[in-house]
Each structure stands twice: as C-alpha cells, then as structure tokens.
Amino acid sequence: QPIVEDAWSASTLSSFSHDAQHFALVSLAVDRHRLRVFDTNANHVIYEDIVDRARVTSLAWASATLSTSPSDGNGSSSKKRRGQTTRAASESTSRAEEKVEDLVILGLEDGSVSIHSPTQGRTVRTLSHSSSKSAILAVSQNASDSLWTSGSDSCLRLWDLTSGTLLSVVEDSEKQAYSSLSAHTNAGDGQSRLLAGSTKIDLYTTSTDTSSSSETGSNDIELLTSFNGHATPVRSLRWDPSEVNRIASAAEDDRLVCLWEMQEPGSGKGKIVASYPLDSAALQVELSTASGRSLLMALSSSGQISLSPIPEELVASGSKPSSKQKVPTLRSSTTARLSAKALASKAYVSAVSFVPSQPACVRVAVVEGGASTAFETFVSNATSLVPFALFNLYFDVCIGISDG
C-alpha cells in the first residue's frame, strides 16, 4: 500500500471538533495560510479566513463563552450595540453573547494564538505576550475558560480565554519542547490533568482556579508521573473515557500505538500495558467507548484506518505490573483503507473522529488533491466498520476477527 502523505497532506493541518459536527482545515501555502471550517453533515464550508499575521504551526478546537464587548480588541461593533435602545434587543444580545460556542484555535509561528469563531464569522481573540515569541507547537483547552499552549522554547503557558491574559508559564526541566498536549478534567474529583508529550510523556495535575494563577507561578502545575518509551516526538495523545488512568499515544515515524497506565503518584513512572502495530507510521489515535467496551482507532500514513477493541483484562493485568511480563499486542478487528479510485484522484485521509452523540459511529475526512473535502461516516460495533453509503467511493473495508 503506497504512502499517501504527499506534498498535499504534508502542507495541511486539520481537526474535527469535539462533537465531530465540524471540521477545520488549514492549507499551508507559501504566501498565505487559509483556514476553512466545514459542516460535516452538509459537507459545505461555513467559515473561511486568510491568516496573514504569521504562519500557522498548530490547530485545535475549544468550547467557550467569549464576550463580544469592545474590550476583545478585534473590532466589535460597539456603536451598533449602543444603538440598540430596546430592552428586548439588549436581552437578545446578552443571551447571544453568553452562548457557549465552538472555537478554532490556531497556534502561530510568532508565539501568538489566533481564536476564530465560525458562528460569529470572525477572529474573536488574539492571545499574545512579550514572553511568548517562539512557535506554538500544540494547544489544548484546560477548562471552559483557559487554554494550554506549548512553545518551541520548551515552555508551557496557560492563558485565560475570556480576558486573553497569560496566567502562568512553566518550563520543562529537561528543556524539551512538547509536541503534543491533551488536557482533561476528571468528572469524579474535578481535578484537571495535562498530558504533555515530547519523546517522553509527562502527566501534570493543574489548577482549575485561574484566579490564583500568576505568570511565574509554577504552583499551578505539578508533575505527577512520566511515561518513557518513544524515540521520536509524540504527535497524538488521548485519554481513555472509560478508564481514567489509561492513555494512548502515537509518535512521529512510529508504527506502534502505545497504551499506558498510571502507576501510583509516588512512583514517578507510568507503564505500557499494550501496543498496537500499524501498517505504516501513525498519524492519529482516538479512544472511545461503545457497547460497554473501550475502542482504539488509529490512522496511519498509508491512509488506513484501524479499529481494535481493548480487552477488559488489560485493566486487571495492569494493576500488577511485572518486569518479565510481555506487553500484549492488540489486533485490528477492522481496517478501512483508501480505494484505488481514491488514490488515483490524489485523495488522502486527513483526520478521523468518533461521533460522541453516536458512540457506534466513526467520521472520516477525505481531502482530494488538496482542494475538495468529503466526509464519510462508518458504523462500528467493535468487530466491524461499515460505511453508511452502499456505494462507497473512498474505502475498501476489511472485517477481521475481534481480539477477545
């Protein structure tokens, strides 16, 4: 199977929104960077912008309530709002401003962050600070009102999304720049955690109280444990929604996806509990739960999508680690790869996502020739992956045998 990560796919950044209802695609041309946001159900562009402030170096989604007051610094029409004299109009505007919306977060080469609202059709924030001058390598939302970024200067920065204020700066003790971030808030204890990956993966506990943060306050973040095992920078990190102490990672030019579990906080180390071999280098890894089982999905550079259920016994065996114990290898229950017709049209798989509102569904973004974009939706029952459409133009699906 040929590798399809050609000049087109290497010159784009892309990501599905958290609910998989929208898809952001950044085309990294030499003279300009173009952002397009698609409605994945209707398959059309709902927002488009040219980013000319600086080169785009990272892309992520966030959900937040951002005021459209003049203080946002982005040209809000304050005169128009002051002209709304009726109470009904004022209340309507207030309700609109308080609505939580999906935001596209772009990390830029100059160390700033550009925040776009497809709903409002404009750039709603630009986060910048004199201490942040290096390229933003990764972005992840910490809580509803804050955002973590990782710079090429080996610093983690916490920003307040509402005010645009820089809250905290933390430098990695080993001077490694984190290439991937994934923040998560535990619904059980409300604790906020941050995964930061370079060639290692560090797990931090972080403060969710932004009012107590300061630009130099390292007390807002504490290293809990580390995971060592990757030889190249981590490019994808995900939390297991069904097992709070388990994560998945994929590194650049690595054909193995790794599943990790956290040891006791005092040990300072995490352990690998399973590996998942792919046909080519891993581009993306996703975790979800369907029919009471954890599912792992991976996208490789050949355009192949692989799906595997995670055996329940991993949880039990992981609680008693042994240095002589062989790490289990997961097997694919299903693979879907680009068809010969799709390859002939220079199509490639840009991103994959589970659909939270439909746990048995997988959504796939296919970019053709760097221009048009199409979305395929598959139905999964942990042992099969079947396209909704009978006459599928993009994929050849192979159903294998479930591992356990």
Side-chain angles (χ1 to χ4, degrees), residues 347-362:
Y348 64 90
V349 180
S350 182
V352 295
S353 176
F354 288 104
V355 182
S357 61
Q358 300 170 284
C361 285
V362 170

Side-chain angles (χ1 to χ4, degrees), residues 114-153:
S114 180
I115 303 177
H116 298 253
S117 168
T119 302
Q120 299 182 39
R122 67 188 185 97
T123 304
V124 291
R125 285 286 187 282
T126 298
L127 309 180
S128 62
H129 191 271
S130 58
S131 71
S132 181
K133 298 298 182 182
S134 301
I136 303 297
L137 303 181
V139 181
S140 184
Q141 186 172 14
N142 180 52
S144 60
D145 59 352
S146 57
L147 188 78
W148 281 107
T149 63
S150 170
S152 59
D153 58 357

Side-chain angles (χ1 to χ4, degrees), residues 67-76 122 124-126:
S67 168
T68 56
S69 65
S71 61
D72 64 12
N74 289 286
S76 298
R122 67 188 185 97
V124 291
R125 285 286 187 282
T126 298

Side-chain angles (χ1 to χ4, degrees), residues 289-372:
T289 303
S291 303
R293 300 192 65 178
S294 292
L295 296 178
L296 186 151
M297 177 170 58
L299 170 65
S300 67
S301 59
S302 70
Q304 179 169 295
I305 304 162
S306 303
L307 185 75
S308 174
I310 300 175
E312 295 180 2
E313 56 266 27
L314 277 183
V315 179
S317 63
S319 61
K320 297 180 180 181
S322 170
S323 59
K324 297 181 179 179
Q325 185 178 13
K326 184 178 180 180
V327 176
T329 299
L330 302 181
R331 292 181 296 168
S332 296
S333 62
T334 304
T335 60
R337 64 176 60 197
L338 287 165
S339 64
K341 182 175 182 179
L343 289 171
S345 66
K346 297 184 178 180
Y348 64 90
V349 180
S350 182
V352 295
S353 176
F354 288 104
V355 182
S357 61
Q358 300 170 284
C361 285
V362 170
R363 192 152 289 167
V364 182
V366 180
V367 179
E368 297 181 86
S372 62

Side-chain angles (χ1 to χ4, degrees), residues 129 237 274 288 330 366 383 399:
H129 191 271
L237 283 170
S288 184
L330 302 181
V366 180
T383 57
I399 300 175

Side-chain angles (χ1 to χ4, degrees), residues 28-91:
L28 308 177
V30 175
D31 57 339
R32 63 176 187 174
H33 286 198
R34 178 189 181 196
L35 168 65
R36 284 177 291 167
V37 178
F38 296 81
D39 181 319
T40 59
N41 294 300
N43 194 20
H44 67 78
V45 176
I46 61 171
Y47 174 72
E48 186 171 356
D49 193 19
I50 300 299
V51 183
D52 52 13
R53 178 186 176 96
R55 293 181 60 84
V56 180
T57 51
S58 56
L59 164 67
W61 284 84
S63 297
T65 303
L66 294 186
S67 168
T68 56
S69 65
S71 61
D72 64 12
N74 289 286
S76 298
S77 180
S78 57
K79 290 183 179 180
K80 181 177 180 180
R81 281 196 296 275
R82 284 195 296 267
Q84 295 173 336
T85 56
T86 67
R87 177 173 297 180
S90 177
E91 292 177 351

